[in-house]
Amino acid sequence: SDNKKFGGPKMPGGIYAIAHNRGVTSLKGLKEITKEVASKGHVPSVHGDHSSDMLGCGFFKLWLTGRFDGMGYERPEFDADQGANAVKEAGGTIEMHHGSHTEKVVYINLVENKTLEPNENDQRFIVDGWAAAKFDLDVPKFLIAAAATVEMLGGP
């Protein structure tokens, strides 16, 4: 991202990771999460990329198409554009990533309040594991879903 406001925390698909972990599948719930993230001093966001617009978020695409079904996650009741619009309406931000996703490793950062900056020339799927506790998520489920994302998208 070239937007300096996005200093973290880094989560799969932005705030979709929170919705996914909590089993929130409605636009109303997504808007509530957007406001919660902002209230805790962070920039709530979702992202797309140049090749697939808002469906360019691999995490969301996997969730939407049922790739997490076997892990006990219900699919969202909205598509990528509807989700992005809901986040924007609730005060969040839409980010378009440069290039395509080619992450081959998951970097799980457990150092509280520290975030590594992505590098589009050396892509890593950066996940701030410490943020799971900040947002009252199931930490093991959060980290497993992050690792599964890279594996399902063709990582190592």
Side-chain angles (χ1 to χ4, degrees), residues 48-100:
D49 71 16
H50 79 287
S51 65
S52 301
D53 292 320
M54 289 315 300
L55 202 52
C57 173
F59 178 82
F60 184 76
K61 183 186 281 186
L62 293 171
W63 186 25
L64 180 67
T65 59
R67 297 290 301 277
F68 290 112
D69 287 1
M71 296 172 69
Y73 292 100
E74 291 184 40
R75 296 180 199 188
E77 300 167 3
F78 50 87
D79 65 27
D81 291 326
Q82 291 168 328
N85 288 335
V87 169
K88 191 172 182 177
E89 288 171 13
T93 302
I94 309 307
E95 172 77 357
M96 294 306 281
H97 286 190
H98 301 283
S100 19

Side-chain angles (χ1 to χ4, degrees), residues 7 14 23 39 44 52 56 67 80 85 88 91 102 110 112 126 138 141:
S39 76
S52 301
R67 297 290 301 277
N85 288 335
K88 191 172 182 177
T102 56
L110 299 174
E112 190 170 352
I126 298 171
D138 180 319
K141 281 178 62 175

